[in-house]
Amino acid sequence: MKILHTSDWHLGRTFGSTSLLADQSEFCHFLVQTASAERVELVVIAGDIFDRSIAPREAIELLRQTLSDLRRAGVIVAAITGNHDGPDRVVPYSALTDLSGVYLRGGYTGVGETITHEFSDGPLDLVLLPYLDPRAAPDDFGRALEEEESIDKLEQRRRRTHQSVLADAISAARTTCEAPRSLAISHAFVVGETSCEESESERILEVGGSGAVDASLFDDFSYTALGHLHKPQDVGRATLRYSGTPLRYSFSENHDKSVTLIEMDRHGASDVREIPLAIGRTVATLRGTIEELLEPLFAPHARDSFVR
């Protein structure tokens, strides 16, 4: 089966005062067309569907239309909320959308569950792990120091981290994974043996670095679709991957954009490749004297870019 991994759409975002709605609409159209052309069975959105918790009306309408178009094309959708999204607004009707083949998860409601979906070549376990704010965790989540039985609830809450609550969610999901292959979707800052590249436009998950989680949490999954970092990149292996944003949302995002296509066999072995995106403006940072910068032929490559 084929899976398209995307993330961080940030619908409703602007670049400075410039609306990106037309570019985001073009991306959504490209996604639907690509899913149909490649005969994709599952599209993944790994968080930050919207740019803010109360999304503008036109962004909500764009998401609704895109999900409808994907389902009309026969594509299943699995999506989670990120740290930019308002989970209570994105997923209040998830029990109904499940029936239509659109799996939406956000916050702690239903966290740790496994969704087993039957695809053309067999079952796939889906583990949807939205951004889990440690400050909002139920008291039975993220018990970082269980050996200290005398610890009070206030101290327990204070010591919770994204690592501890995410580890609890994954542990719960593992007990119900029964298919021969699995796919996790997580919105997190994952740290492996090598450092990942961040961008200026990513909102920090937690102050002081406590928002980082260890890559080993995802060792048991056939593929993990990550969201949060805006540059496409692997975290130590091709099956633990950030797909990156579809558009450039800051001047630090001067890298190429893409979506990730996964071909997964019935046992979970995966081939991973990028599908390039050429949507929206590139970004350019120009340096020179005032006279140089005002010269019309100074930087022809930046003519259609966002420039600073």
Side-chain angles (χ1 to χ4, degrees), residues 52 119 132 179 189 191 202 222-223 225 239 289 299:
R52 51 187 184 271
F119 290 95
L132 302 173
F189 179 49
V191 176
E202 296 146 2
S222 305
Y223 182 89
T239 55
T289 66

Side-chain angles (χ1 to χ4, degrees), residues 3-179:
I3 303 161
L4 263 181
H5 167 198
T6 72
S7 76
D8 297 271
W9 293 11
H10 289 280
L11 299 181
R13 192 179 182 111
T14 61
F15 200 110
S17 59
T18 303
S19 171
L20 297 176
L21 181 62
D23 293 336
Q24 291 175 331
S25 297
E26 184 182 351
F27 162 71
C28 289
H29 178 73
F30 169 88
L31 183 72
V32 174
Q33 295 300 109
T34 301
S36 296
E38 291 281 353
R39 298 186 178 181
V40 166
E41 294 189 53
L42 173 67
V43 163
V44 169
I45 313 171
D48 284 352
I49 303 168
F50 297 114
D51 189 56
R52 51 187 184 271
S53 58
I54 302 177
R57 179 193 55 78
E58 58 270 20
I60 296 171
E61 172 59 23
L62 179 55
L63 177 66
R64 186 200 65 78
Q65 185 63 55
T66 305
L67 295 179
S68 298
D69 290 345
L70 287 169
R71 287 303 297 128
R72 274 192 288 270
V75 180
I76 299 298
V77 179
I80 60 172
T81 57
N83 58 308
H84 278 250
D85 296 304
D88 293 339
R89 293 176 175 270
V90 175
V91 297
Y93 304 110
S94 57
L96 294 176
T97 61
D98 283 3
L99 300 176
S100 72
V102 176
Y103 301 114
L104 292 171
R105 293 295 183 271
Y108 283 89
T109 302
V111 69
E113 69 178 323
T114 298
I115 301 168
T116 304
H117 190 92
E118 192 74 30
F119 290 95
S120 63
D121 59 347
L124 171 67
D125 283 337
L126 298 170
V127 177
L128 277 60
L129 301 161
Y131 172 64
L132 302 173
D133 188 341
R135 297 165 297 182
D139 284 336
D140 58 346
F141 251 80
R143 299 185 63 181
L145 298 173
E146 291 186 10
E147 67 277 8
E148 295 187 23
E149 296 182 0
S150 62
I151 188 172
D152 61 37
K153 289 191 181 296
L154 183 61
E155 180 63 12
Q156 178 183 314
R157 292 168 188 160
R158 189 183 71 81
R159 297 192 186 191
R160 274 195 300 241
T161 63
H162 197 198
Q163 166 94 13
S164 66
V165 294
L166 190 55
D168 275 8
I170 291 173
S171 179
R174 283 197 186 107
T175 64
T176 55
C177 282
E178 296 181 350

Side-chain angles (χ1 to χ4, degrees), residues 7-8 10 13 15 48 83-84 188-189 195-205 227-233 242-257 283 308:
S7 76
D8 297 271
H10 289 280
R13 192 179 182 111
F15 200 110
D48 284 352
N83 58 308
H84 278 250
F189 179 49
S195 299
C196 287
E197 188 172 332
E198 300 178 66
S199 302
E200 295 172 356
S201 45
E202 296 146 2
R203 182 185 297 169
I204 189 169
L205 292 180
H228 178 55
L229 297 186
H230 288 190
K231 181 178 181 178
Q233 56 195 302
Y242 287 100
S243 63
T245 55
L247 303 175
R248 294 161 181 84
Y249 291 131
S250 71
F251 284 105
S252 64
E253 296 184 48
N254 56 359
H255 49 262
D256 293 334
K257 295 297 184 179
V283 294
R308 66 175 174 181

